[in-house]
Amino acid sequence: MYATASALYIDEMGYAMSRLEIDSDHCEDENAIHEESSSGQSKMPSTFLDNEIAQITKLKSNPHQQLVQVGTGRPQLPVSPVKMLAGRESNYSGRGRFSSADRCHLLSRYLPVNGPWLIDQMSSRAYVSQFSADGSLFIAGFQGSHIRIYNVDRGWKVQKNILAKNLRWTITDTCLSPDQHYLAYASMSPIVHIVNAGSAETESLANVTEIHDGLDFSSNDYGGYSFGIFCVKFSKDGRELVAGSSDNSIYVYDLEANKISLRILAHTSDVNTVCFADETSHLIYSGSDDSFCKVWDRRCLIAKAKPAGVLMGHLEGITFIDTRGDGRYFISNGKDQTIKLWDIRKMSSNVTCNPGYRSYEWDYRWMDYPPQAKDLTHPCDQSVATYRGHSVLRTLIRCYFSPAFSTGQKYIYTGSHNACVYIYDLVSGAQVATLKHHKSPVRDCSWHPFNTMLVSSSWDGDVVKWEFAGSGDRPASLSKRVWTRHFYDEYI
């Protein structure tokens, strides 16, 4: 029994490890945060993430202590799949099964790095790619007005092809309601449209085959001039939408009352990203081109009319924020070519200092990041950690925490202007994988909430999936296994 199970895991791990692209400079120190020298060459980091979030991540992704000590009598990480299976069958943990942390320790090493397999190819740029909360659906939004909903469980069949109404420039964001019945989509317009995602109609042409309800965010009470929506998110109960806009504001729309319930003049520049911090919907995170991340507590906004706190550290504008879901930690992607990890307990009550660094002219929409800016640091950086390696140019590139179910949120992943997807270790900062296929910027990517699968979408029009070997048919060019000494020494 053990021999069969072991052979299966070893065979699959060997194939996966052969596809992993790991920078050798990062493998020597697993407690280091990745940095780059001014010349662009990797160097060994001098610090490591020794913080509460590091301990939480380890608790969520490290196996039971008895499994750690199988066969050696002393702690030894990582634990091989063979030893973990043997420990489970011998009931070392006393549970008779893997705990969620055991599962994450095992699954988080089977990264979705094999492929890619082509899902769809369009003639226009892909801007949005998102799995539904249960992973059964996948949404891709394109500049050419199309939004496609794919049924993942039915071989990626197009369940719904939506032609957006009153599109301005591109689809900037989409969001499924928590019950997965409705899809909201936004563009560079003050109107957010909602369409029935669960109807029987496959072709959804606005107000011809289906009604696309328009939610007007440009109420006369707030000036009523034209602006665009960069980001839109449903609340956990599905009763509200929160949106970030080009008029420097955050909007909350009450879907039951069919009106704006809150408008916050939040920043001094475009609000590129906004989200609810957790399931309660009391806290809202926002990020702007003014380079600040802000935390808003709706319970005291009327009395204070200002943010609960400000987080400083980025030198350029914020392109995206992803919450860890605990109302405490989140990450942000910045035009200063970094991802930053934040703890809101470190926030300031207001802006205490500005970078004051700009000795050059730079526009990320058409210029490369200035070499002289790469070594600059914010004088009041409040971030917990900084991750470098990807590039953030031309568009609002997104970053995310990896899924809690399969990885314990052990990784951070992001698209990049250089047409790759990067995966970083949250605690060490190491760049553990680089997915290369696309020919144009990857604006968005999405990791399946339960399966070892990641989907990336690019301005080249391709939507492709990456998987761990064994979870699908392998491409012919990748069918040959490559065995490495590193794999043999560590896992057998």
Side-chain angles (χ1 to χ4, degrees):
M1 175 180 177
Y2 294 149
T4 302
S6 301
L8 171 64
Y9 276 87
I10 290 170
D11 182 55
E12 293 186 349
M13 275 302 294
Y15 183 74
M17 290 300 294
S18 71
R19 294 291 303 155
L20 231 69
E21 297 184 19
I22 302 177
D23 187 335
S24 60
D25 286 332
H26 294 147
C27 297
E28 298 177 16
D29 185 358
E30 282 299 308
N31 292 319
I33 291 179
H34 172 58
E35 296 178 355
E36 282 188 355
S37 65
S38 58
S39 64
Q41 299 298 317
S42 296
K43 65 179 182 180
M44 285 308 301
S46 57
T47 58
F48 62 94
L49 183 59
D50 186 12
N51 190 276
E52 178 184 294
I53 191 172
Q55 302 307 316
I56 294 172
T57 302
K58 289 174 181 176
L59 286 174
K60 291 176 66 176
S61 60
N62 279 2
H64 189 276
Q65 191 67 18
Q66 292 292 333
L67 290 176
V68 173
Q69 298 178 1
V70 169
T72 63
R74 63 182 186 279
Q76 189 174 7
L77 290 171
V79 180
S80 76
V82 177
K83 290 181 179 179
M84 290 192 67
L85 286 169
R88 185 188 67 177
E89 295 304 318
S90 301
N91 198 19
Y92 271 80
S93 67
R95 299 187 182 95
R97 57 180 174 82
F98 283 150
S99 67
S100 60
D102 296 334
R103 179 188 64 232
C104 287
H105 182 74
L106 192 63
L107 293 178
S108 65
R109 293 154 64 187
Y110 298 86
L111 295 176
V113 296
N114 300 300
W117 289 260
L118 185 66
I119 293 173
D120 206 349
Q121 191 171 45
M122 299 288 282
S123 58
S124 65
R125 295 172 172 179
Y127 270 73
V128 180
S129 56
Q130 302 166 348
F131 277 107
S132 60
D134 66 0
S136 64
L137 301 176
F138 181 82
I139 298 95
F142 301 87
Q143 189 173 23
S145 299
H146 286 279
I147 304 169
R148 289 191 165 183
I149 301 178
Y150 304 87
N151 191 314
V152 178
D153 298 333
R154 296 182 61 189
W156 293 87
K157 180 182 178 181
V158 177
Q159 178 171 300
K160 205 170 196 65
N161 185 32
I162 301 167
L163 190 63
K165 181 182 179 183
N166 297 335
L167 183 73
R168 289 189 184 176
W169 178 243
T170 186
I171 301 294
T172 54
D173 203 8
T174 63
C175 187
L176 270 177
S177 61
D179 61 8
Q180 300 184 181
H181 290 169
Y182 298 95
L183 178 79
Y185 64 87
S187 69
M188 293 305 296
S189 159
I191 308 297
V192 172
H193 290 93
I194 292 187
V195 60
N196 188 342
S199 68
E201 292 288 339
T202 301
E203 296 297 322
S204 181
L205 181 60
N207 298 344
V208 176
T209 60
E210 287 187 321
I211 299 297
H212 291 205
D213 290 327
L215 309 179
D216 189 357
F217 282 70
S218 61
S219 168
N220 290 330
D221 295 338
Y222 302 124
Y225 73 95
S226 181
F227 56 88
I229 302 292
F230 289 113
C231 189
V232 62
K233 294 287 184 293
F234 274 98
S235 60
K236 187 65 177 181
D237 59 12
R239 297 180 179 179
E240 294 178 314
L241 283 172
V242 62
S245 71
S246 62
D247 70 343
N248 311 345
S249 300
I250 298 171
Y251 291 89
V252 177
Y253 198 99
D254 187 323
L255 294 172
E256 293 184 343
N258 196 27
K259 66 178 183 179
I260 297 170
S261 60
L262 178 66
R263 186 231 183 181
I264 309 167
L265 188 56
H267 291 267
T268 58
S269 191
D270 293 351
V271 180
N272 295 325
T273 177
V274 63
C275 67
F276 291 108
D278 54 26
E279 295 185 359
T280 66
S281 302
H282 293 315
L283 294 180
I284 296 173
Y285 299 147
S286 65
S288 167
D289 271 340
D290 63 14
S291 81
F292 299 117
C293 296
K294 294 186 178 182
V295 181
W296 306 87
D297 190 336
R298 299 172 63 190
R299 294 165 294 188
C300 56
L301 266 176
I302 296 177
K304 290 186 176 181
K306 64 178 185 179
V310 180
L311 289 156
M312 297 163 284
H314 277 294
L315 296 172
E316 301 286 350
I318 315 299
T319 63
F320 196 71
I321 282 175
D322 186 41
T323 177
R324 195 166 176 271
D326 55 10
R328 182 170 297 171
Y329 294 100
F330 67 93
I331 55 173
S332 60
N333 225 350
K335 296 177 182 178
D336 56 4
Q337 317 302 299
T338 68
I339 293 174
K340 285 187 176 289
L341 172 66
W342 307 93
D343 181 345
I344 68 171
R345 293 170 297 181
K346 295 179 179 290
M347 63 189 180
S348 301
S349 57
N350 50 47
V351 177
T352 57
C353 66
N354 287 302
Y357 63 91
R358 271 296 185 98
S359 59
Y360 54 85
E361 292 297 324
W362 178 64
D363 190 326
Y364 100 119
R365 293 173 296 182
W366 59 276
M367 299 171 67
D368 291 335
Y369 195 58
Q372 63 266 38
K374 292 181 180 179
D375 287 333
L376 296 175
T377 57
H378 196 291
C380 304
D381 191 350
Q382 298 166 301
S383 64
V384 175
T386 302
Y387 308 82
R388 293 185 175 92
H390 62 293
S391 57
V392 183
L393 298 168
R394 311 294 183 267
T395 186
L396 303 178
I397 289 176
R398 300 180 166 193
C399 63
Y400 302 93
F401 288 99
S402 63
F405 177 85
S406 58
T407 71
Q409 297 178 304
K410 184 178 179 179
Y411 302 110
I412 290 170
Y413 64 103
T414 178
S416 180
H417 169 258
N418 68 351
C420 298
V421 176
Y422 288 81
I423 303 176
Y424 299 102
D425 186 287
L426 173 70
V427 176
S428 73
Q431 181 183 309
V432 298
T434 307
L435 310 183
K436 299 179 180 180
H437 161 74
H438 296 285
K439 301 299 187 290
S440 298
V442 177
R443 185 180 189 267
D444 204 0
C445 47
S446 187
W447 197 317
H448 193 283
F450 305 111
N451 299 338
T452 310
M453 178 195 302
L454 187 148
V455 176
S456 59
S457 61
S458 167
W459 277 10
D460 60 16
D462 285 3
V463 179
V464 300
K465 66 174 179 175
W466 307 81
E467 294 183 298
F468 169 72
S471 56
D473 295 330
R474 301 172 185 172
S477 60
L478 301 179
S479 61
K480 183 179 179 181
R481 293 171 176 80
V482 180
W483 297 90
T484 65
R485 181 69 181 174
H486 169 77
F487 166 73
Y488 185 88
D489 289 343
E490 183 174 0
Y491 294 102
I492 296 181

